[in-house]
Amino acid sequence: SPNTTGAMSVGDVRMERQGSQRWLVIERPADKLWQPTRDFWQENGFLLAIDEPRIGIMETDWAENRAKLPLDVIRRTLGKVFDSVYSTGERDKFRTRIDRGPEGTEIHITHRGMVEVYSTTDKDQTVWQPRPSDPELEVEFLRRLMVKLGATQEAAMQASQAPTPAAANVRLVGEGGTKVLEIDEDFDRAWRQIGLALDRGGFTVDDRDRSQGLYFVRYIDPEAQ
């Protein structure tokens, strides 16, 4: 339904939004956006652990938050390459998905985080555990990428602060081992939502076939990394 999606355009770049999800749509070929997006992460201080143009996915290595500061300050200091000597107990990584959508090239950014916690009552040992993804950080880096791709700071800020439409309904239906998800959206939007869910869940997408609606994925427990 057109009522569930909103957009704010800046030149040939616009920010789309649906529920808590936001992404960019750019009227340029995907192969023309790969290098500028790669440069974007490097300019923000990140190293790329995954750089796969064939499947349209790049992912940063783990980076640390060096200081427990208000969100706006954390955002400006994110991107330091992780160094255990200066660790403050939080790590972040960002996955970028570049996909050919029905109205242009789509760019999605998803965040994953880890937090260091004590594993003993004596507080002499720590372990790393997943922490919830941060949609605000995802929107912040989408806004920065808009600027990298030609938008002004003011226009990108306006786009990122636009009201968020309602999300689509999702249901689990069926019995036994034949349960499936039903999403009240057309194929393009459902494909997008599933891709973002896989990214946020930490699944590695080895390949995908949009024509058949297939993702080929594997899962690595983040606590083992």
Side-chain angles (χ1 to χ4, degrees):
S1 167
N3 294 327
T4 63
T5 302
M8 178 66 70
S9 298
V10 182
D12 70 341
V13 183
R14 69 178 186 274
M15 183 176 289
E16 294 270 359
R17 58 203 185 280
Q18 182 177 5
S20 62
Q21 299 172 350
R22 302 196 183 202
W23 64 96
L24 302 183
V25 178
I26 306 98
E27 296 176 13
R28 303 176 210 172
D31 59 356
K32 300 298 184 184
L33 294 167
W34 193 263
Q35 187 61 48
T37 305
R38 178 191 284 137
D39 293 343
F40 167 78
W41 287 114
Q42 293 173 345
E43 289 165 4
N44 277 274
F46 289 89
L47 298 177
L48 291 179
I50 299 175
D51 188 351
E52 293 285 352
R54 182 183 62 85
I55 57 175
I57 292 176
M58 65 179 69
E59 185 173 274
T60 70
D61 205 347
W62 289 106
E64 67 159 321
N65 278 338
R66 288 178 180 262
K68 304 290 187 180
L69 298 171
L71 272 178
D72 58 338
V73 180
I74 289 176
R75 287 170 180 152
R76 289 199 297 268
T77 59
L78 263 176
K80 307 297 183 184
V81 177
F82 181 74
D83 180 344
S84 59
V85 175
Y86 300 104
S87 171
T88 59
E90 288 189 1
R91 296 178 181 178
D92 298 276
K93 71 164 51 180
F94 296 87
R95 181 177 295 181
T96 307
R97 178 184 299 279
I98 300 180
D99 203 0
R100 293 175 180 84
E103 299 178 356
T105 300
E106 298 181 356
I107 298 181
H108 308 262
I109 293 176
T110 50
H111 165 259
R112 291 173 60 203
M114 300 282 283
V115 61
E116 190 177 24
V117 298
Y118 288 109
S119 59
T120 63
T121 55
D122 293 334
K123 297 185 177 181
D124 57 355
Q125 296 182 26
T126 62
V127 296
W128 288 96
Q129 295 181 348
R131 77 179 201 273
S133 61
D134 188 338
E136 291 187 57
L137 281 176
E138 293 171 354
V139 172
E140 170 65 16
F141 279 102
L142 283 171
R143 183 191 66 77
R144 292 185 183 187
L145 185 54
M146 284 188 75
V147 175
K148 171 69 175 178
L149 297 176
T152 65
Q153 289 279 1
E154 294 77 12
M157 183 65 71
Q158 183 181 4
S160 66
Q161 293 178 346
T164 302
N169 291 324
V170 181
R171 298 176 298 278
L172 183 65
V173 299
E175 298 181 358
T178 60
K179 291 183 179 179
V180 298
L181 290 177
E182 285 188 353
I183 306 175
D184 291 336
E185 290 290 2
D186 59 25
F187 176 83
D188 291 327
R189 292 174 181 169
W191 176 262
R192 179 187 306 118
Q193 287 180 306
I194 292 169
L196 288 172
L198 292 172
D199 290 344
R200 285 202 176 103
F203 289 86
T204 297
V205 178
D206 289 324
D207 207 347
R208 51 186 173 159
D209 187 337
R210 187 187 184 108
S211 65
Q212 298 188 58
L214 295 175
Y215 282 97
F216 300 90
V217 302
R218 54 190 167 91
Y219 181 72
I220 299 175
D221 186 346
E223 295 187 44
Q225 299 183 28

